[in-house]
Each structure stands twice: as structure tokens, then as C-alpha cells.
Amino acid sequence: MIETHEVVNQVPARAGVDEYAANAPLVDAVARWGSEGGAAASGLHDVGALVGSAAFQRDAERANTRPPVLHVHDHWGNRVDEVEYDDAYHRIMAAAIGAGAHTSAWARPGGGANVDRAAAFFLFAQVEPGHACPVSMTHAAVPALELAASGLRDRWMPRLLSREYDPDLGGARVGRPAAGRSHATDPKRSALVGMAMTEKQGGSDVRANTTRAEPTGVDDAWGREFRLTGHKWFCSAPMSDAFLVLAQAPGGPSCFLVPRVLPDGTRNVFRIQRLKDKLGNRSNASSEVEFAGTHAWLVGEEGRGVATIVQMVTRTRLDCVIGTAAGMRQSVAEAAWHVRHRSAFGSLLVDLPAMAAVVADLAVESEAATVTAMRLARAYDDDADASEQAFRRLATAVSKYWVCKRGPGHAYEALECLGGNGYTEAFPLARRYREQPLLAIWEGSGNVIALDVLRVLHREPEAFEAFFGVVADAGGEHAALDLEIAEAQAVVLEVSADPAGSAARARELTERLALVLQASLLVQYAPSSVADAFVRTRIEGDGGLLYGALPPGVDTSAILARA
């Protein structure tokens, strides 16, 4: 009898792994910048084991292959505007919220709180990135809501800080009496917050928004009430319990809280027109939304809506960096696992110098992103002094631009390490490849971020002083890095002296700043094998334009062992 199908030389499933323990750069960062005494470590090991389990991986795949479904009306024609998710998505959300990946940094303030929270967020996003959108926005909504009326804060803040996950919106449908519990007497104890800023005619130019906010004349415990009329081209996570929305009030662009359920227990007017059919991010719904006399309450000052919602955007930009770094870690972990278990031409792939160089180079990029993300998170802790606050204002934009731009190419190269398997949907890197571009687009695409860097340059020169203060701590270790830091400072001076022509050099400036930041952090905190490889290839240019063209002398074995 002839055997026609025997499975050999296939890589075993990568499951049953503690993803936290396996990630040496993340463990080191938490030990360095996290809460005192490593208080978060045991919880992070629990999260690492969870996201590394076969069951969680199946849920991640299922949440993306059974994407959200919009139900505009019920069977009887009543408007419901509900988004239905697979149970796998709800299990992932419940785990992330239960672990505090959303707002634990606010619930336990102090040194290292944002690093602990960032590490949990990182681990969940490493395996299933789509759910991270509402998790991130809920975290980022907290500082904006601090600017709201006390009654609104008192009603909503405990719900945002809750570790319960309740996917039921509750409330009666518009125009119908409440059934079951009343939000007025038995409110939902937890909440997620989404965002609706962009419109079809403006995109990133939110000052071009046309959604109107008309005051009702009511000033209640939640503050000044308005009614909104307009259309939002992108509304993130439309199943959320409330949204921060930009609209044109009589006093100018203003920020509002729009709840799905009103204080009397009835549902607000929130017409979900359609869900976006996106390249990636399939487990998470994004939508168009229509407001038609929708109840809203002012957050912050009227006419200062952009400044108010920037409180939220700054932190979601940080989460874009963390999320991209998480994706890079997934890519490296999958590629390294594959080459250690797959043979070709009589050897394991990891023992072939060309493949070893590619995976080592990917690991260097991943560690640079991780250490940058965690160092930034530390700068967001409430014990950060004025210099740290100035540093984060610049470094967040710089890192958001560069790290997120590097994500898609990194995912592709890792995918190629798996050969044809990597290109199939049975393995996670095809999904990751589609996911990474979103984080470069969301919360400001490349030009928007680079121009923000220029705005900081012209308005807050102290941020550049703080930035180079951090970078200077790596001085004297590498002549090439010292030279690059000096050249980056020279470019800053040139650009600041030419405001009219600075826009044309915005990307050049931002890229230079990003590379010296990453190099300096690696020189200070990473093993010499990793730091030397980064400086030689990214700063000296002693390598090729693609991953894997490492110069002689790079210790690929040490880098791979760390990966």
C-alpha cells in the first residue's frame, strides 16, 4: 500500500506559552519602570498565560472570522441600532477589562501605574488587536471627562474604572417604555467609551466639521445640554455606552458626551448607518453614525472642543505605539518559533545564516518599539515632573509616526519567514499584516503627526530640550550615535529658523528624532548585541534597506536567544 499523505516537518502549534515570561524586553521594561517591587508581575504572568493559550488563540481567530453584524431594526420595524458580536469577542473583552487593560492606570495612580497597564494592554493586543480599540478609548476618555461637570463625572467615572464587562446597552428603545431594569434606578455598573470626530468632508481637518450642537437651555447635574444634528464618517466601536463627539456649537467646535442610554432609561437617538468594510481590524466595528436631535452634554469649555478631545487623542496615540509594538512582538514570536522547528536543505531554518539574520533583525526592531512604548508609558504616570511631561508631548508624536510606520513592513517580513503558510488565514500573521497599517492611520496619519511635531517645535521649545535631555543619557557610547544626535539637533535649529519652509522637512525631522530616541534607549537599557545591531544598521547605515542585511560582527545568536 502506498502512503500518499504523511505530515512531516510541519511546525507544532505555538500554544501553552506565557507570552509575558517569553518576552524578555517587556519583562525588563516592567521591572525597570513599572510599579515598585514588581507588584504587577504576577498578574502579567497570568495574562501572558491566558493570551498564550490555545483557547484564547481560537477566540482571536473566531472573533475575526465571525465579524460584527449591524441590526438597524428589530423584527417589528423598531429602530434598535445594535451591533452583534460573536461570543468569542465578548470573552476577549471580558478578560481584557477584568485584567485592567483599560483604566487600571487611573484606578491605581502612582509611579509605574501606566507601565503596568501598558504591559497588560500590550499582551492582549499581541494576540487579538481589534478589541484594543474600545479598551484604548475608554482608558483615554478619563482625562477628558475630568473636564466635565461634576454630576457627569460622578455618574460616568466609576463605570469607566469598573472591571466588569457588560455588553448589554440596556435602556428602552427610542419612543418605547423601558423593559426590565431602569437606568434611572438600577444603572449599568460599567461602561465603554468610543469616539466620533471625523466627517466625510473633513477627515483629519476636524475644524471643517458641520455637525451642529444647539443648546437646549437646560443646565442640569450633567452640565449644559445640547442637541446634535449631523453625520459622522467614522465612529469607532459603535456598541460603546457613550461617545466623545466633536460638533459646532454657537461658540465654536466643542466636545460633547453622547450617551447611548439617557438618564431616564430611554435610548438616545444614535443611528448607525452602516459598518465599514475594512482591510483589517475585522473583530472591531467601525461605523457611520447619524445624529438627529441627539442628546449631548458639554465636556470642557464651549469652543475649546479640539483642545478637550486632545486629552483623549494623546493617550490613544500612545496606545497606537504600544499596539504596534505588540504586533511586532507577535510577528517575531511566530517567525522565531517557525524557524526553530522547520527544516530545509538539511538544517533547521534558524541555523541557516540568511534566515537567522532576518529574524534577528526583526527582533531588534521589535525590541526598539517595545522599549520606546514602555518608556513613553512611564512618562504618563502622575508623578511625572514638568520635564517628563514636556518629553512625552514630543516623544509621543515622534514615536507614533515612526513605530507605526514601521509596523506593516515588519509584519510582511515576518510573514515571509513562514513561507506559504504565512500567507494563509490559518496562521495569524496574515491577519497581523492587515492590522498594522491601521495604527499608522488611526489618530493621525503620517503627515498629520509630522506636522504636530512641527507645532511642538514652534510652540513648546522646552519639549525639545526635555527630549534631548533623555537622549543625551546615551552619549559617549557610540560615536555614530553622538554624531546623529548632533545632526538631529542641527536640523531642529534649521527648521525652527524657517517656519515657512518647515512643512517640507517635517518627515525628515520626525524620522531623525525617532531613530535617535530608539537608539539612545537601546544603548541605555538593552543588551549590547541588540543596541549595537540597531546603531550599526539604523544610525550608521551599515546594512541594507531590507530586514536581514546585517553587517559582519552582529551577534545574531545572542539576539535570537533573547527573542
Side-chain angles (χ1 to χ4, degrees):
M1 181 176 179
I2 299 174
E3 178 63 54
T4 61
H5 186 79
E6 182 182 1
V7 178
V8 295
N9 197 28
Q10 283 285 0
V11 175
R14 187 175 181 276
V17 177
D18 177 349
E19 294 288 6
Y20 178 62
N23 189 343
L26 185 61
V27 171
D28 289 350
V30 172
R32 183 182 306 116
W33 293 310
S35 54
E36 278 191 46
S42 61
L44 291 173
H45 281 292
D46 291 341
V47 172
L50 172 66
V51 302
S53 68
F56 192 91
Q57 293 171 17
R58 284 194 299 272
D59 276 347
E61 180 178 3
R62 181 167 170 165
N64 282 273
T65 55
R66 301 184 181 185
V69 177
L70 173 62
H71 300 290
V72 177
H73 297 88
D74 66 13
H75 298 304
W76 300 275
N78 299 300
R79 187 100 196 193
V80 293
D81 296 291
E82 294 179 352
V83 181
E84 179 185 358
Y85 291 79
D86 190 83
D87 288 344
Y89 176 88
H90 293 308
R91 286 192 291 271
I92 291 168
M93 284 294 294
I97 299 298
H102 61 326
T103 55
S104 60
W106 304 108
R108 189 199 61 75
N114 276 281
V115 176
D116 297 345
R117 177 261 163 189
F121 180 83
F122 182 113
L123 290 168
F124 282 104
Q126 176 181 329
V127 180
E128 204 302 294
H131 82 286
C133 173
V135 171
S136 173
M137 290 188 297
T138 303
H139 162 72
V142 171
L145 283 180
E146 291 287 357
L147 303 175
S150 59
L152 189 148
R153 290 200 312 271
D154 293 345
R155 174 69 180 87
W156 285 91
M157 201 67 76
R159 300 171 70 192
L160 269 62
L161 299 181
S162 171
R163 294 200 181 190
E164 293 184 24
Y165 173 65
D166 183 355
D168 180 22
L169 282 174
R173 295 163 187 160
V174 176
R176 301 191 69 192
R181 76 183 181 198
S182 165
H183 263 58
T185 59
D186 183 21
K188 182 177 172 181
R189 292 191 297 269
S190 62
L192 299 174
V193 176
M195 180 194 298
M197 285 202 298
T198 58
E199 298 182 7
K200 50 185 174 289
Q201 77 284 348
S204 296
D205 184 8
V206 294
R207 294 187 183 277
N209 286 0
T210 60
T211 295
R212 301 190 314 277
E214 299 172 355
T216 64
V218 174
D219 193 348
D220 58 19
W222 284 18
R224 293 176 59 198
E225 185 185 23
F226 288 72
R227 293 291 190 95
L228 305 188
T229 304
H231 184 95
K232 291 294 179 179
W233 189 238
F234 274 95
C235 173
S236 299
M239 77 297 176
S240 299
D241 300 281
F243 300 83
L244 289 180
V245 176
L246 282 181
Q248 296 286 355
S254 303
C255 180
F256 300 90
L257 181 88
V258 174
R260 287 299 307 269
V261 176
L262 296 171
D264 66 359
T266 60
R267 287 197 183 179
N268 206 355
V269 178
F270 191 87
R271 297 175 181 167
I272 304 175
Q273 302 298 83
R274 62 172 172 170
L275 301 185
K276 298 291 191 179
D277 186 7
K278 297 171 293 185
L279 169 69
N281 200 240
R282 307 293 290 186
S283 67
N284 175 54
S286 303
S287 67
E288 294 173 39
V289 173
E290 198 82 21
F291 301 130
T294 301
H295 294 264
W297 281 263
L298 183 66
V299 176
E301 298 178 33
E302 185 175 346
R304 296 273 300 162
V306 174
T308 299
I309 210 161
V310 160
Q311 300 287 327
M312 183 178 191
V313 169
T314 300
R315 284 170 171 79
T316 48
R317 283 180 175 177
L318 170 60
D319 281 356
C320 286
V321 179
I322 299 169
T324 302
M328 288 183 177
R329 173 57 193 169
Q330 182 186 42
S331 297
V332 168
E334 294 292 334
W337 181 266
H338 181 86
V339 301
R340 285 193 170 102
H341 293 88
R342 177 84 166 177
S343 298
F345 312 113
S347 300
L348 285 174
L349 289 176
V350 72
D351 295 328
L352 300 175
M355 181 60 82
V358 171
V359 180
D361 210 357
L362 291 169
V364 168
E365 190 76 29
S366 174
E367 181 152 357
T370 298
V371 72
T372 301
M374 294 300 124
R375 175 62 180 87
L376 271 177
R378 181 64 180 91
Y380 278 81
D381 282 331
D382 61 4
D383 65 348
D385 60 20
S387 179
E388 277 288 277
Q389 293 174 37
F391 165 72
R392 81 191 188 202
R393 283 197 292 276
L394 176 59
T396 300
V398 165
S399 303
K400 199 280 184 188
Y401 173 89
W402 182 248
V403 173
C404 297
K405 285 285 188 190
R406 298 288 285 176
H410 186 275
Y412 158 69
E413 194 68 58
L415 179 156
E416 188 178 294
C417 291
L418 275 65
N421 283 350
Y423 199 65
T424 69
E425 296 297 334
F427 294 82
L429 293 191
R431 184 164 69 243
R432 177 58 64 181
Y433 181 54
R434 293 195 305 274
E435 189 73 28
Q436 292 292 60
L438 171 64
L439 296 173
I441 296 169
W442 192 41
E443 302 299 49
S445 53
N447 285 342
V448 171
I449 300 297
L451 293 173
D452 278 351
V453 170
L454 288 186
R455 275 189 280 274
V456 175
L457 172 63
H458 296 311
R459 297 176 185 177
E460 300 180 69
E462 67 275 12
F464 279 77
E465 295 175 12
F467 180 92
F468 282 107
V470 170
V471 168
D473 288 340
E477 294 293 327
H478 285 270
L481 177 56
D482 293 343
L483 178 61
E484 184 62 25
I485 292 171
E487 291 183 354
Q489 291 173 314
V491 172
V492 169
L493 293 175
E494 291 170 8
V495 171
S496 62
D498 181 24
S502 60
R505 301 189 68 182
R507 287 193 172 217
E508 174 199 354
L509 172 63
T510 305
E511 180 177 330
R512 281 183 176 271
L513 294 174
L515 285 171
V516 297
L517 175 61
Q518 289 193 313
S520 69
L521 293 175
L522 289 177
V523 167
Q524 292 175 68
Y525 303 117
S528 59
S529 57
V530 175
D532 290 345
F534 189 93
V535 172
R536 291 186 63 185
T537 55
R538 276 73 165 174
I539 301 297
E540 294 180 8
D542 189 13
L545 297 177
L546 298 177
Y547 288 104
L550 297 177
V554 170
D555 192 347
T556 56
S557 296
I559 296 170
L560 287 172
R562 185 167 171 81

Short mmCIF file of all heavy atoms in Angstrom, two decimals, residues 25 360-369 371 478 518-519 521-523 525-538 550 554-556 558-563:
data_model
loop_
_atom_site.label_atom_id
_atom_site.label_comp_id
_atom_site.label_asym_id
_atom_site.label_seq_id
_atom_site.Cartn_x
_atom_site.Cartn_y
_atom_site.Cartn_z
N PRO A 25 12.29 41.69 26.60
CA PRO A 25 12.28 43.16 26.63
C PRO A 25 11.11 43.73 27.43
O PRO A 25 11.28 44.73 28.14
CB PRO A 25 12.17 43.53 25.14
CG PRO A 25 12.77 42.38 24.42
CD PRO A 25 12.36 41.17 25.21
N ALA A 360 16.70 37.88 13.41
CA ALA A 360 17.41 38.73 14.37
C ALA A 360 17.13 40.20 14.12
O ALA A 360 16.91 40.99 15.05
CB ALA A 360 18.91 38.46 14.30
N ASP A 361 17.11 40.60 12.87
CA ASP A 361 16.83 42.00 12.52
C ASP A 361 15.40 42.37 12.91
O ASP A 361 15.14 43.47 13.42
CB ASP A 361 17.04 42.19 11.02
CG ASP A 361 17.49 43.60 10.66
OD1 ASP A 361 17.57 44.46 11.56
OD2 ASP A 361 17.75 43.84 9.47
N LEU A 362 14.46 41.47 12.68
CA LEU A 362 13.09 41.70 13.11
C LEU A 362 13.00 41.85 14.62
O LEU A 362 12.25 42.67 15.15
CB LEU A 362 12.19 40.56 12.65
CG LEU A 362 11.92 40.45 11.14
CD1 LEU A 362 11.25 39.11 10.82
CD2 LEU A 362 11.07 41.60 10.64
N ALA A 363 13.79 41.05 15.34
CA ALA A 363 13.77 41.11 16.79
C ALA A 363 14.35 42.43 17.30
O ALA A 363 13.86 42.99 18.29
CB ALA A 363 14.57 39.94 17.37
N VAL A 364 15.35 42.95 16.64
CA VAL A 364 15.92 44.25 17.01
C VAL A 364 14.87 45.34 16.85
O VAL A 364 14.71 46.20 17.74
CB VAL A 364 17.17 44.55 16.16
CG1 VAL A 364 17.61 46.00 16.32
CG2 VAL A 364 18.31 43.61 16.54
N GLU A 365 14.16 45.32 15.75
CA GLU A 365 13.11 46.32 15.53
C GLU A 365 12.02 46.20 16.57
O GLU A 365 11.51 47.21 17.10
CB GLU A 365 12.52 46.14 14.13
CG GLU A 365 11.59 47.25 13.69
CD GLU A 365 12.32 48.51 13.28
OE1 GLU A 365 13.47 48.41 12.81
OE2 GLU A 365 11.73 49.60 13.42
N SER A 366 11.64 44.97 16.91
CA SER A 366 10.61 44.75 17.90
C SER A 366 11.04 45.26 19.28
O SER A 366 10.25 45.91 19.98
CB SER A 366 10.29 43.25 17.98
OG SER A 366 9.40 42.96 19.02
N GLU A 367 12.28 44.98 19.66
CA GLU A 367 12.73 45.45 20.98
C GLU A 367 12.80 46.97 21.02
O GLU A 367 12.47 47.58 22.05
CB GLU A 367 14.08 44.84 21.33
CG GLU A 367 14.57 45.28 22.69
CD GLU A 367 15.48 44.29 23.39
OE1 GLU A 367 15.71 43.20 22.85
OE2 GLU A 367 15.94 44.61 24.51
N ALA A 368 13.22 47.59 19.93
CA ALA A 368 13.25 49.06 19.89
C ALA A 368 11.86 49.64 20.09
O ALA A 368 11.67 50.62 20.82
CB ALA A 368 13.84 49.53 18.56
N ALA A 369 10.86 49.04 19.46
CA ALA A 369 9.48 49.52 19.62
C ALA A 369 8.98 49.30 21.04
O ALA A 369 8.30 50.16 21.62
CB ALA A 369 8.57 48.82 18.62
N VAL A 371 10.74 48.98 23.97
CA VAL A 371 11.36 49.84 24.97
C VAL A 371 10.89 51.28 24.81
O VAL A 371 10.70 52.01 25.80
CB VAL A 371 12.91 49.73 24.91
CG1 VAL A 371 13.47 50.41 23.68
CG2 VAL A 371 13.54 50.31 26.17
N HIS A 478 28.51 55.45 21.60
CA HIS A 478 28.71 55.19 20.17
C HIS A 478 28.98 56.51 19.47
O HIS A 478 28.15 57.42 19.52
CB HIS A 478 27.48 54.53 19.55
CG HIS A 478 27.30 53.09 19.90
ND1 HIS A 478 27.84 52.08 19.15
CD2 HIS A 478 26.66 52.51 20.93
CE1 HIS A 478 27.53 50.90 19.70
NE2 HIS A 478 26.81 51.14 20.78
N GLN A 518 15.10 55.94 19.78
CA GLN A 518 15.16 54.48 19.91
C GLN A 518 16.58 54.01 20.16
O GLN A 518 16.81 53.14 21.02
CB GLN A 518 14.59 53.82 18.65
CG GLN A 518 13.08 53.96 18.51
CD GLN A 518 12.52 53.04 17.45
OE1 GLN A 518 13.05 52.95 16.35
NE2 GLN A 518 11.44 52.35 17.78
N ALA A 519 17.53 54.56 19.43
CA ALA A 519 18.92 54.14 19.61
C ALA A 519 19.40 54.45 21.02
O ALA A 519 20.07 53.62 21.66
CB ALA A 519 19.81 54.83 18.57
N LEU A 521 17.65 54.75 23.78
CA LEU A 521 17.01 53.88 24.76
C LEU A 521 17.61 52.48 24.73
O LEU A 521 17.81 51.86 25.78
CB LEU A 521 15.50 53.83 24.52
CG LEU A 521 14.74 55.14 24.77
CD1 LEU A 521 13.27 54.99 24.37
CD2 LEU A 521 14.84 55.56 26.24
N LEU A 522 17.90 51.99 23.54
CA LEU A 522 18.51 50.66 23.45
C LEU A 522 19.93 50.67 24.03
O LEU A 522 20.34 49.73 24.72
CB LEU A 522 18.53 50.18 22.00
CG LEU A 522 17.18 49.81 21.39
CD1 LEU A 522 17.35 49.43 19.92
CD2 LEU A 522 16.52 48.67 22.16
N VAL A 523 20.68 51.71 23.75
CA VAL A 523 22.04 51.80 24.30
C VAL A 523 21.99 51.82 25.82
O VAL A 523 22.82 51.19 26.49
CB VAL A 523 22.75 53.06 23.76
CG1 VAL A 523 24.02 53.36 24.54
CG2 VAL A 523 23.08 52.87 22.28
N TYR A 525 19.44 50.60 27.82
CA TYR A 525 18.68 49.57 28.53
C TYR A 525 18.71 48.18 27.90
O TYR A 525 18.33 47.22 28.57
CB TYR A 525 17.22 50.02 28.65
CG TYR A 525 17.07 51.36 29.34
CD1 TYR A 525 16.53 52.45 28.68
CD2 TYR A 525 17.48 51.52 30.66
CE1 TYR A 525 16.39 53.69 29.31
CE2 TYR A 525 17.34 52.75 31.30
CZ TYR A 525 16.80 53.83 30.62
OH TYR A 525 16.67 55.05 31.24
N ALA A 526 19.12 48.03 26.66
CA ALA A 526 19.10 46.72 26.01
C ALA A 526 20.48 46.07 26.08
O ALA A 526 21.49 46.75 26.30
CB ALA A 526 18.66 46.87 24.55
N PRO A 527 20.55 44.76 25.88
CA PRO A 527 21.86 44.11 25.78
C PRO A 527 22.68 44.73 24.66
O PRO A 527 22.14 45.22 23.66
CB PRO A 527 21.51 42.65 25.48
CG PRO A 527 20.12 42.48 25.99
CD PRO A 527 19.44 43.79 25.78
N SER A 528 23.99 44.69 24.79
CA SER A 528 24.87 45.32 23.80
C SER A 528 24.67 44.74 22.41
O SER A 528 24.81 45.44 21.40
CB SER A 528 26.33 45.19 24.23
OG SER A 528 26.69 43.83 24.36
N SER A 529 24.33 43.44 22.32
CA SER A 529 24.13 42.83 21.00
C SER A 529 22.98 43.50 20.25
O SER A 529 23.08 43.77 19.04
CB SER A 529 23.84 41.33 21.15
OG SER A 529 22.71 41.11 21.98
N VAL A 530 21.91 43.81 20.97
CA VAL A 530 20.75 44.46 20.36
C VAL A 530 21.06 45.92 20.03
O VAL A 530 20.80 46.40 18.92
CB VAL A 530 19.53 44.37 21.29
CG1 VAL A 530 18.34 45.14 20.71
CG2 VAL A 530 19.15 42.92 21.53
N ALA A 531 21.63 46.64 21.00
CA ALA A 531 21.92 48.06 20.79
C ALA A 531 22.92 48.25 19.66
O ALA A 531 22.75 49.15 18.81
CB ALA A 531 22.46 48.67 22.08
N ASP A 532 23.98 47.44 19.62
CA ASP A 532 24.98 47.58 18.57
C ASP A 532 24.38 47.32 17.20
O ASP A 532 24.70 48.03 16.23
CB ASP A 532 26.14 46.61 18.82
CG ASP A 532 26.98 46.99 20.02
OD1 ASP A 532 26.85 48.14 20.49
OD2 ASP A 532 27.76 46.14 20.50
N ALA A 533 23.53 46.30 17.09
CA ALA A 533 22.91 46.00 15.81
C ALA A 533 22.03 47.16 15.34
O ALA A 533 22.04 47.53 14.16
CB ALA A 533 22.08 44.72 15.91
N PHE A 534 21.28 47.76 16.27
CA PHE A 534 20.42 48.88 15.90
C PHE A 534 21.26 50.08 15.45
O PHE A 534 20.98 50.70 14.41
CB PHE A 534 19.52 49.28 17.07
CG PHE A 534 18.46 50.27 16.71
CD1 PHE A 534 17.19 49.85 16.34
CD2 PHE A 534 18.72 51.63 16.72
CE1 PHE A 534 16.20 50.76 15.99
CE2 PHE A 534 17.74 52.56 16.37
CZ PHE A 534 16.48 52.11 16.01
N VAL A 535 22.26 50.43 16.21
CA VAL A 535 23.08 51.60 15.87
C VAL A 535 23.79 51.38 14.54
O VAL A 535 23.82 52.28 13.68
CB VAL A 535 24.08 51.91 16.99
CG1 VAL A 535 25.07 53.00 16.55
CG2 VAL A 535 23.34 52.36 18.24
N ARG A 536 24.34 50.22 14.33
CA ARG A 536 25.10 49.98 13.10
C ARG A 536 24.20 50.00 11.87
O ARG A 536 24.61 50.47 10.80
CB ARG A 536 25.84 48.65 13.19
CG ARG A 536 26.98 48.66 14.20
CD ARG A 536 27.77 47.36 14.13
NE ARG A 536 28.40 47.18 12.82
CZ ARG A 536 29.06 46.08 12.46
NH1 ARG A 536 29.16 45.06 13.32
NH2 ARG A 536 29.61 45.98 11.27
N THR A 537 22.98 49.48 12.00
CA THR A 537 22.11 49.38 10.82
C THR A 537 21.22 50.62 10.63
O THR A 537 21.04 51.08 9.51
CB THR A 537 21.23 48.13 10.91
OG1 THR A 537 20.51 48.14 12.15
CG2 THR A 537 22.07 46.86 10.84
N ARG A 538 20.67 51.16 11.72
CA ARG A 538 19.71 52.27 11.58
C ARG A 538 20.38 53.63 11.69
O ARG A 538 19.87 54.60 11.10
CB ARG A 538 18.63 52.16 12.66
CG ARG A 538 17.47 51.24 12.34
CD ARG A 538 17.85 49.78 12.43
NE ARG A 538 16.68 48.90 12.47
CZ ARG A 538 16.75 47.59 12.43
NH1 ARG A 538 17.94 46.98 12.36
NH2 ARG A 538 15.65 46.84 12.46
N LEU A 550 22.34 42.34 7.60
CA LEU A 550 23.14 42.76 8.75
C LEU A 550 24.62 42.77 8.40
O LEU A 550 25.10 41.90 7.67
CB LEU A 550 22.90 41.82 9.93
CG LEU A 550 21.47 41.76 10.49
CD1 LEU A 550 21.37 40.73 11.60
CD2 LEU A 550 21.04 43.13 11.00
N VAL A 554 27.68 41.44 13.80
CA VAL A 554 26.46 41.49 14.59
C VAL A 554 26.24 40.12 15.23
O VAL A 554 26.32 39.09 14.56
CB VAL A 554 25.25 41.90 13.73
CG1 VAL A 554 23.95 41.71 14.49
CG2 VAL A 554 25.38 43.35 13.29
N ASP A 555 25.96 40.11 16.52
CA ASP A 555 25.81 38.85 17.27
C ASP A 555 24.38 38.32 17.11
O ASP A 555 23.54 38.47 17.99
CB ASP A 555 26.15 39.09 18.74
CG ASP A 555 26.31 37.79 19.51
OD1 ASP A 555 25.93 36.73 18.99
OD2 ASP A 555 26.82 37.84 20.66
N THR A 556 24.11 37.70 15.98
CA THR A 556 22.76 37.22 15.71
C THR A 556 22.35 36.13 16.70
O THR A 556 21.17 36.04 17.07
CB THR A 556 22.65 36.68 14.27
OG1 THR A 556 23.64 35.67 14.07
CG2 THR A 556 22.85 37.79 13.26
N ALA A 558 23.04 35.84 19.91
CA ALA A 558 22.58 36.44 21.16
C ALA A 558 21.23 37.10 20.99
O ALA A 558 20.36 37.03 21.87
CB ALA A 558 23.61 37.46 21.66
N ILE A 559 21.03 37.75 19.85
CA ILE A 559 19.75 38.41 19.59
C ILE A 559 18.64 37.38 19.48
O ILE A 559 17.55 37.55 20.05
CB ILE A 559 19.84 39.26 18.31
CG1 ILE A 559 20.87 40.39 18.50
CG2 ILE A 559 18.47 39.83 17.95
CD1 ILE A 559 21.20 41.14 17.23
N LEU A 560 18.92 36.28 18.77
CA LEU A 560 17.90 35.24 18.62
C LEU A 560 17.59 34.56 19.94
O LEU A 560 16.43 34.21 20.21
CB LEU A 560 18.36 34.21 17.59
CG LEU A 560 18.34 34.68 16.13
CD1 LEU A 560 19.01 33.65 15.23
CD2 LEU A 560 16.91 34.92 15.68
N ALA A 561 18.58 34.37 20.77
CA ALA A 561 18.34 33.75 22.07
C ALA A 561 17.41 34.62 22.90
O ALA A 561 16.54 34.12 23.63
CB ALA A 561 19.66 33.54 22.80
N ARG A 562 17.54 35.93 22.82
CA ARG A 562 16.67 36.86 23.55
C ARG A 562 15.27 36.89 22.96
O ARG A 562 14.29 37.07 23.68
CB ARG A 562 17.29 38.25 23.53
CG ARG A 562 16.55 39.29 24.36
CD ARG A 562 17.41 40.53 24.51
NE ARG A 562 16.72 41.65 25.11
CZ ARG A 562 16.52 41.82 26.42
NH1 ARG A 562 16.96 40.89 27.27
NH2 ARG A 562 15.90 42.88 26.89
N ALA A 563 15.16 36.68 21.67
CA ALA A 563 13.86 36.71 21.00
C ALA A 563 13.02 35.49 21.34
O ALA A 563 11.82 35.50 21.10
CB ALA A 563 14.04 36.80 19.48
#
